Amino acid sequence: MMPSYETEYQRSLSDPAGFWAEKADILTWHTPPQKTFSASFHKEDFHIKWYEGGTLNLSENCLDRHLETRSHETALIFEPDVDGPAKTYTFQEMHKEVCQIANHLRGLGIKKGDRVTLYMPMIPEAIFSMLACARIGAIHAVVFGGFSAASLADRLDDCESALLITADQGQRGGKIVPLKENVDKALSLSQKKTVQNVLVFQHTGATVSMEEGRDLYAHALPANADCPAVEMGSEDPLFILYTSGSTGKPKGVLHTTGGYGVYTTHTFKDIFDYKPGERYWCTADVGWITGHSYLVYGPLLNGATLVVHEGVPNYPDAGRIWQIVEKHKVNILYTAPTAIRSLMAKGDAHVTAHDRSSLRILGTVGEPINPTAWTWYKDVVGENRCPVVDTWWQTETGGILISPLPQDPTRQKAGSVTKPFYGIQPALLDEQGQEIEGAGEGALVIKHSWPGQMRTVYGDPDRFFDTYFTTYPGYYFSGDRAMRDEAGDYWIRGRMDDVVNISGHRLGTAEVESALNTHNCISETAVVGIDDPLTSQALMAFVTLKKGKTWDAEAFPNELNHILRDVIGPIAKVKIFVPAGDLPKTRSGKIIRRILRKLSEGQGDQLGDLSTLANPQCVEDIQKTLKVGKSV
Ligand code: WT7
């Protein structure tokens, strides 16, 4: 019999080295690890290392080792944007595709440690390309296909990519995404010009411009499916993934091989209770961490059968997601609260029109899920027979840290992520940085390293330490606030820093402000997140104008959102603009966001002492603007 969660959890804390050494056996290693871990979150000896001495290759673990027993079983089912024939790949076929791409990369001179950026639609080749990089030890950096050319250029420059992999176009909800066109723009914007070649997959078949000598169609290259996997050290980098923080430009979160592999394999196996032969569908895009850990690595390391969908869950109508569940007999579904809320709003008939009897487990991730949406997901979608796993984690954590285990009925609690996974030691800290015992609410930190933890910010190790380990010395600070109830279950409250979560997409207010400030009439902006019933949060921007300029309520909001689209991408869109004469500042000229946040929440009566402000009058003015609804 399986030991209970409590027994296993206690063992993982009392003997982490023994526990995680045993867990490493789930992967196939060339050389077994010598030392399970060595880590310190303190400045003097700051380091994080897992499974040192071990060597392995994750592409081999995802594919080759399944060939012996299940080479002819389905590994991937691809469902196009609009309902049509699905395309399937067996493990054998997928292995061949991956090896061919890996050989293309080698042919283009890519070697272990080189950075390869992917700017891809949600097609099988996106997954194959990631695994092809892993196979030859190249570090993949996937950039979400919804990001703009300027964002892509920034990321190419930051990691000095040698190669860019893309497709002619993508398709999303009936719309064309001009990927290759954006790539051309990005390469002309790139400052460092490190990209030597662009490997292009033909997807829609549209004619796109191809620069001779630089751009190559994948299908035109010689096919060679014999590609041995490179033996990687456990701490060799696997990928970089950019994510927004409270300051500056997005940072390149770096994950390594051994610990990430072990952690994603176990969390996937236990939290989704995966059983061989089951079909698993994660609706996240490969451009996000969910797409890395629980679309590609976690499932494939377990030999799962993946459903991959290029489109969006509600196109052409709100029944599409359930139609796909029925069509492919999906057993496990992993999606986001935003999707659940928007589908719920369209009514139950879209759901009940489709047979969902294959469904066994329902997952959610990305934002707090409100109890109403949770209950709808469980009762209507899952016919009250499928456990819901509300999983809390972050790009930085590599894998799920707090989540129910589906077998445990006491953990079906609407709105709570319940309890930590094995080996994870969360704590809540009060304003003095003291640990709160028992029930309470505070800053959510993690006390001990875990195998899937990020290792550094690419090219900026100081930023890694400063961002996550200085607010509360000795702890990893998540940036989230959480509550723990009497039963010891966790409830995520949201971000405490200047990060805004819109439909599960992370944006730093600093990035948004610096883009808005490029408008020639704008002097200064301050952006805050406001609650939104559908998208969890939305952006509110307080803007001041240059001398002599007046606010144009017709033109400015469009112009400003247009800039955001160009600089960041369509996910960055301000919902409410608030023109202001001045922004509340300290005497040294620093904008006090806390006040703006309170004003945006309609809590102007709870501002506290304003006497230290350089310009207290502006607060009243902003309040008036907000009250008379002059904001647009
Ligand atoms: C932030 C991380 C991890 C995959 C997707 C997002 C929020 C994530 C939950 C949840 C409440 C959640 C947190 C976290 N978040 N999952 N189940 N309940 N909030 O990854 O872009 O790195 O964002 O998403 O605020 O810090 P990410």
Side-chain angles (χ1 to χ4, degrees), residues 128-150:
F128 302 160
S129 299
M130 288 164 76
L131 295 175
C133 289
R135 194 159 190 94
I136 63 165
I139 306 170
H140 57 72
V142 184
V143 175
F144 174 52
F147 278 125
S148 67

Side-chain angles (χ1 to χ4, degrees), residues 14 197 212 280 296 388 554 565 589 607:
S14 56
N197 292 104
E212 222 191 299
Y280 164 83
V296 181
V388 170
E554 283 297 310
R565 204 187 160 89
L607 297 175

Side-chain angles (χ1 to χ4, degrees), residues 463-476:
R463 193 170 172 199
F464 178 47
F465 184 80
D466 293 346
T467 308
Y468 304 100
F469 303 95
T470 51
T471 321
Y472 302 105
Y475 297 94
Y476 165 80

Side-chain angles (χ1 to χ4, degrees), residues 241-244 253 284 288-291 294 334 337 364-369 389-400 402 415-417 444 476 478-481 491-497 499-501 504-507 536-537:
L241 186 60
Y242 286 88
T243 194
S244 297
V253 167
W288 311 112
I289 191 69
T290 309
Y294 300 109
Y334 194 28
T364 159
V365 62
E367 325 140 50
I369 180 164
V389 287
D390 178 5
T391 60
W392 177 80
W393 59 296
Q394 311 179 291
T395 305
E396 294 87 338
T397 69
I400 298 165
I402 310 184
S416 167
V417 292
L444 177 58
Y476 165 80
S478 66
D480 281 348
R481 163 177 284 281
W491 302 71
I492 308 297
R493 297 295 197 215
R495 303 286 308 195
M496 296 173 72
D497 52 8
V499 170
V500 181
N501 188 328
H505 299 153
R506 236 166 108 162
L507 277 179
S536 183
Q537 283 191 296

Side-chain angles (χ1 to χ4, degrees), residues 418-563:
T418 74
K419 296 210 161 63
F421 191 72
Y422 306 121
I424 304 302
Q425 295 184 50
L428 299 178
L429 304 185
D430 64 19
E431 272 163 26
Q432 282 70 48
Q434 298 300 312
E435 283 189 30
I436 298 168
E437 298 294 330
E441 187 168 324
L444 177 58
V445 298
I446 310 293
K447 287 160 72 164
H448 188 283
S449 182
W450 63 97
Q453 184 171 23
M454 74 182 278
R455 298 299 195 265
T456 193
V457 170
Y458 186 76
D460 200 350
D462 291 344
R463 193 170 172 199
F464 178 47
F465 184 80
D466 293 346
T467 308
Y468 304 100
F469 303 95
T470 51
T471 321
Y472 302 105
Y475 297 94
Y476 165 80
F477 177 40
S478 66
D480 281 348
R481 163 177 284 281
M483 189 271 276
R484 189 172 46 222
D485 65 18
E486 297 290 342
D489 290 319
Y490 287 84
W491 302 71
I492 308 297
R493 297 295 197 215
R495 303 286 308 195
M496 296 173 72
D497 52 8
D498 292 318
V499 170
V500 181
N501 188 328
I502 304 168
S503 303
H505 299 153
R506 236 166 108 162
L507 277 179
T509 53
E511 302 168 66
V512 178
E513 288 162 9
S514 74
L516 293 175
N517 292 347
T518 62
H519 188 286
N520 57 13
C521 297
I522 300 290
S523 158
E524 227 179 5
T525 54
V527 171
V528 300
I530 51 172
D531 287 345
D532 185 280
L534 210 57
T535 57
S536 183
Q537 283 191 296
L539 299 175
M540 181 184 264
F542 297 87
V543 290
T544 64
L545 300 174
K546 287 185 182 156
K547 267 212 167 64
K549 307 283 179 193
T550 43
W551 180 252
D552 180 342
E554 283 297 310
F556 282 9
N558 283 336
E559 285 172 25
L560 289 164
N561 273 327
H562 196 86
I563 293 178

